[in-house]
Amino acid sequence: MAAQDLIFGVVADDLTGGVEIASLLVAGGVPTEFRIGVQHGEPEFDAAAAVVALKSRVAPVAEAKESAAEAANWLRRRNPRQTFFKYCATFDSTPEGNIGCCTDLMKEIVGAERVIFCPSFPEKERTVYNGHLFVGRDLVSESPKRHDPLTPMTEPDLVKVLQPQTRHGIGVLPWKAVSSGAKAMARIVEELVDSGRPYIIADAICDADLEALAEFTADWPLVTGNSTIAACFPAIWRRRGLLDGHPAPKRLGPLRGPGAVLAGSCAEQTISQLEEFRKAGRPVLRIDLREALSGEDPAAQALAWTENHMGEGEFAIATSAEVSAVNELQERMGRRAAADLAESVLARIAVGLVERGLGRLVVAGGETSGAVVNALGISRLAVGPQKRGSIPIAQGDLGRPFGLCLKSGKLGPDDIFADRLQAMEKGEI
Ligand code: ADP
């Protein structure tokens, strides 16, 4: 079984996005291998799909290209019938890259003649119409996303966003064709490819559009987009018998051991979730990173604080701060150094907690999750199924099974921390 060809090989441009697509495939009944970062060994595992999660979204172009090519080539060794490049629903990228340049490389690696770009996420009101990206009723350039600290989206026309990132011509597959069916789509796509525009931005405003696009592109060697279109593929594979002979994904078993939350996200939603956790009677330590500037070691202090709490129930430790405190630290240290400080403090706390027997961990923050998982030396996870409105749980191997839930800052209901720690303890199907 280990040498069997893959149905689906996914390169994801960040960790939480990678977990998201893996969990949707698992929810669709697809046994899915999940790896973190560039892989070096043989791709030997027993699965129908594999996801490699990178940290390439805002990396320098050369670095992003190198890691995307390495990940795609590693997956090629299992001959996937389709390669998928997963990025964010709001098409987060920098002016130079990295969606276009990474797609260019993958197009060459898999020998694709045409590539679809489908970021749309109708449930979260991220839709594409006439090639323009909307958040709710607003163009993305008029939504809060225009102020994103790393990838401000000031241009709503995705053709204009993508063109500087690639050497290929770009066209739009309009909603009229998407909603009219495969024949109408095929006619437009042929015209676009014939006129030198093999990169095709797909309009999609509702789930039915995603299903139609998934059906239309199910045999394309390379598809790119958010995880929403990928979630439509398992039903197609099942209908075609491609999943026959593959076992159902393994269930995540229950995990004992102390549970904790580490939060580095400064998103309002994470701050409300910490507040909810505290109101429910669980200890929350808020670290003021400004103290690190006067020679204190916040990680050592936090670990000392946990002596009273490990084994007494769940607790949270957060560097999360309000905008004014974040701004002050950034002005004093610089933006990147402030983020590095927060990430290294939380990563060291994670390592210390694991040494002290921690069994279950929720991490709040996308970048923070990457830093914590790296520090723990985890490069492979068993991912549980996505449930609507929640965040999937996962298990890593630290010589013993270790429960993880990696939450991007803005996501999840207020009680997500306690809920996910409990899900890890009970084990989830
Ligand atoms: P989100 O998913 O909400 O974007 P991330 O973890 O991706 O969360 O990003 C939050 C960033 O803010 C991280 O790089 C983190 O290290 C940094 N950070 C956390 N706490 C602070 C703080 N008090 N001051 C400045 N930066 C911080």
Side-chain angles (χ1 to χ4, degrees):
M1 197 75 172
Q4 200 172 340
D5 289 350
L6 288 174
I7 299 175
F8 206 48
V10 181
V11 179
D13 71 354
D14 81 343
L15 177 59
T16 45
V19 172
E20 179 187 287
I21 191 166
S23 69
L24 283 162
L25 294 169
V26 169
V30 182
T32 303
E33 177 73 16
F34 183 80
R35 299 290 181 102
I36 299 166
V38 169
Q39 301 294 308
H40 299 290
E42 281 302 308
E44 274 170 14
F45 47 79
D46 195 2
V51 177
V52 178
L54 302 175
K55 200 173 191 294
S56 61
R57 184 168 294 171
V58 294
V61 171
E63 199 181 306
K65 281 167 67 174
E66 193 183 333
S67 63
E70 280 178 325
N73 277 320
W74 186 77
L75 290 163
R76 284 304 287 167
R77 283 147 75 178
R78 288 290 297 271
N79 203 22
R81 69 182 288 286
Q82 184 167 67
T83 297
F84 189 93
F85 179 33
K86 194 284 176 196
Y87 43 79
C88 179
T90 40
F91 215 74
D92 291 7
S93 44
T94 60
E96 308 78 40
N98 290 326
I99 295 177
C101 60
C102 290
T103 305
D104 289 356
L105 274 172
M106 286 187 230
K107 179 179 181 295
E108 257 170 55
I109 290 168
V110 310
E113 273 182 4
R114 58 201 62 186
V115 183
I116 201 108
F117 291 78
C118 183
S120 178
F121 189 173
E123 188 196 325
K124 288 264 183 282
E125 299 196 313
R126 273 84 167 129
T127 55
V128 178
Y129 186 71
N130 278 338
H132 285 59
L133 184 61
F134 289 81
V135 173
R137 288 180 62 238
D138 297 321
L139 286 166
V140 67
S141 50
E142 283 156 30
S143 78
K145 200 67 202 169
R146 71 185 185 280
H147 298 307
D148 188 283
L150 289 174
T151 51
M153 289 296 288
T154 52
E155 171 58 64
D157 181 347
L158 293 183
V159 176
K160 289 191 185 149
V161 176
L162 187 57
Q163 195 61 83
Q165 302 181 19
T166 173
R167 54 198 156 82
H168 293 291
I170 305 169
V172 171
L173 183 57
W175 182 77
K176 201 166 165 210
V178 174
S179 59
S180 303
K183 231 169 144 180
M185 284 191 266
R187 196 173 50 76
I188 304 269
V189 166
E190 290 317 317
E191 275 170 24
L192 289 173
V193 174
D194 288 348
S195 63
R197 284 171 290 173
Y199 278 17
I200 298 152
I201 311 261
D203 279 0
I205 59 176
C206 60
D207 288 345
D209 297 336
L210 294 178
E211 278 159 27
L213 284 162
E215 199 77 54
F216 180 64
T217 58
D219 297 314
W220 291 27
L222 179 61
V223 171
T224 79
N226 184 43
S227 46
T228 37
I229 181 169
C232 301
F233 286 126
I236 299 169
W237 302 332
R238 178 155 293 105
R239 216 174 50 233
R240 295 187 182 183
L242 295 172
L243 287 166
D244 292 355
H246 285 283
K250 287 197 187 90
R251 294 174 179 213
L252 300 184
L255 283 180
R256 303 269 165 260
V261 177
L262 291 178
S265 165
C266 299
E268 267 176 47
Q269 187 57 10
T270 292
I271 292 175
S272 317
Q273 289 160 342
L274 284 167
E275 189 51 22
E276 178 76 20
F277 195 69
R278 190 190 62 76
K279 276 202 258 160
R282 295 178 175 90
V284 176
L285 177 69
R286 297 284 290 266
I287 294 175
D288 187 341
L289 289 172
R290 289 169 294 190
E291 285 168 14
L293 299 177
S294 47
E296 307 281 341
D297 179 2
Q301 286 173 351
L303 285 168
W305 176 84
T306 64
E307 306 273 308
N308 298 327
H309 299 294
M310 280 283 265
E312 300 292 319
E314 293 146 357
F315 57 87
I317 300 173
T319 62
S320 315
E322 315 290 338
V323 180
S324 57
V326 171
N327 286 345
E328 189 191 325
L329 192 73
Q330 289 178 342
E331 271 159 29
R332 287 169 70 180
M333 300 185 70
R335 179 183 295 267
R336 193 58 250 175
D340 287 348
L341 172 64
E343 285 169 30
S344 79
V345 165
L346 290 170
R348 278 187 294 135
I349 295 171
V351 171
L353 290 175
V354 165
E355 283 166 5
R356 289 162 175 76
L358 192 78
R360 295 164 294 136
L361 175 64
V362 179
V363 188
E367 293 296 313
T368 308
S369 293
V372 165
V373 164
N374 264 342
L376 293 178
I378 295 176
S379 66
R380 185 176 190 182
L381 287 175
V383 176
Q386 173 72 44
K387 303 239 167 79
R388 221 177 161 88
S390 190
I391 314 281
I393 57 171
Q395 284 182 10
D397 184 359
L398 292 176
R400 58 188 161 94
F402 182 72
L404 266 175
C405 172
L406 307 176
K407 185 193 90 69
S408 86
K410 294 176 213 72
L411 296 185
D414 279 353
D415 64 350
I416 191 79
F417 294 151
D419 177 80
R420 296 294 79 194
L421 286 168
Q422 201 184 44
M424 289 180 226
E425 193 166 44
K426 285 202 290 200
E428 239 188 18
I429 51 164

